[in-house]
Amino acid sequence: VEAIAPSFEDFPEKIALTYLGVEITFGELDDYSNQFANMLIEHGFKKGDTIGINLPNIPECVIAYIGTFRAGCVASGISPLLSDVQMEYQLRNLGEGGKKVGLVTLDVIYQARVIKIAQNLPQLELIITTNIGQFLPKIKRFLGKLLKKIPSAKVEPLSYVKTLNFIDAIENQPTTRPEINLSPDDIALILFTGGTTGQPKGVVLTHRNVVCDVFIVSTWLGWEKGEGFAVSGFPFFHMGGLYFLEHCLYLAWGQSLIPNPRDIDYIVKQIKKYRPSALVNVPALFQLMLKNQDFRNLDHSNISGCISAASPFPKKSQEELESVVGKGKLIECYGCTETTALTTMNPSKGLKKLGTVGLPMPNIDLKLIDPTTGELVRLEEPGEICIRGDMVMKGYHQRPDETKKAIDSEGFMHTGDVGIMDEDGYIRIVDRTKDMIIVGGFKVYS
């Protein structure tokens, strides 16, 4: 909360978010977020209670995250793609330990899924609904619904849980920031991941974890505050997208919200209009963009970096992307939810090695070990990536046994990812330890 505060104070007139033609300044985002925080407090939510944010990348998603933090509550991204059974599992897990749970969701998800599970969740005390057109001007909302371009559904109230409309809930709230005392070790996020094994587990991240990783990556990249704009298709319910949202808020960079990352034509229009400094996507989305001739024809001279993470990026496609946006602009990186996003990255200004996820960044201890013996491996040999530092999670929510399996006695997080480090310190990701096969005493990676 304190780390991003200067962006709202120093750049109130600067565009923070663009969304389907609507532009929201940092000053407006500041007010909306305070109103959301005050609304939560009015409805009895206290420090440590949890708000599930079940939205695509729309303005309400950003407002809900910031407002949740400012109320002292814990935010948890919940994918809009989950089934009702999966949603119930995550919401039930968030309520373990006796904390209140709130949910911000789309009206269509409410109708299709939430009403099926709400009665099974006694900790769920508040549901706030919206739709993808609520922040649009009235005429656009009307035409969007008329032409069926804006999906929406009627929200029938439930007798056993309070249900509010997002705009109605915040519009009469004060815009002053509530006075909540937070410490670095208070919980900021619970994000669900498969971890290294089994059912999804809630990764508990503190404010220290989040701020530490933002500081590390910001220093590594060397990007200037208030001077950039970003376009990213990464969803905010995912650690990668949420991390970059936080990074933009910290840097006071504007960003274009992409509610549907499959709409490449819309992404191209945003790039053409706002001439971003950074594009941040998974490799598959960069590959889809490369198939779009309009993207290839754009002037990309303003782009300082294309950040790619979350899955392997074929080297041929990397070279093709750099042939379009400019040589040396692709920055591959690596991290996981348990380490608050990023831990290794190619330098923004130094030597980049395509096909690697770069070097360990400052304030991060990294080692590669033999997963069967725990011994360090040599350079050019595969080993499990283990990470230690202030960005490593507090643990898995209400899962102490799973936490002990993941974080060893020395504080190293065992990621389950297998990497090879070259003589310059650059790392290639080659496998997962769970996919390792032992044949005749030799470790074979699938």
Side-chain angles (χ1 to χ4, degrees), residues 7 30 41 66 80 100 124 132 174 258 261 318 334 353 401 427:
S7 297
D30 192 23
I41 293 167
I66 302 171
K100 284 185 185 178
L124 182 61
I132 63 170
I258 309 295
Q318 294 180 6
Y334 163 79
K353 290 191 178 184
D401 291 343
I427 296 170

Side-chain angles (χ1 to χ4, degrees), residues 18-128:
T18 70
Y19 177 70
L20 301 179
V22 175
E23 295 180 341
I24 299 171
T25 66
F26 275 95
E28 291 168 332
L29 180 57
D30 192 23
D31 287 347
Y32 289 139
S33 302
N34 286 336
Q35 288 177 304
F36 188 90
N38 286 314
M39 178 272 298
L40 291 180
I41 293 167
E42 183 182 280
H43 285 89
F45 281 79
K46 294 182 170 56
K47 181 176 172 181
D49 289 334
T50 304
I51 305 299
I53 301 174
N54 179 224
L55 298 172
N57 290 12
I58 61 178
E60 294 94 321
C61 186
V62 182
I63 293 163
Y65 270 115
I66 302 171
T68 297
F69 297 146
R70 288 180 175 176
C73 295
V74 178
S76 181
I78 298 176
S79 169
L81 304 176
L82 295 183
S83 69
D84 53 336
V85 174
Q86 292 168 317
M87 282 185 68
E88 181 176 348
Y89 171 83
Q90 292 194 6
L91 289 167
R92 187 183 304 282
N93 187 262
L94 293 174
E96 289 181 14
K99 296 293 186 180
K100 284 185 185 178
V101 176
L103 178 67
V104 190
T105 190
L106 294 176
D107 51 14
V108 289
I109 296 177
Y110 174 88
Q111 185 187 64
R113 279 166 257 168
V114 175
I115 57 176
K116 295 179 182 177
I117 62 175
Q119 199 163 7
N120 304 330
L121 299 164
Q123 301 96 331
L124 182 61
E125 297 200 6
L126 179 66
I127 300 172
I128 303 158

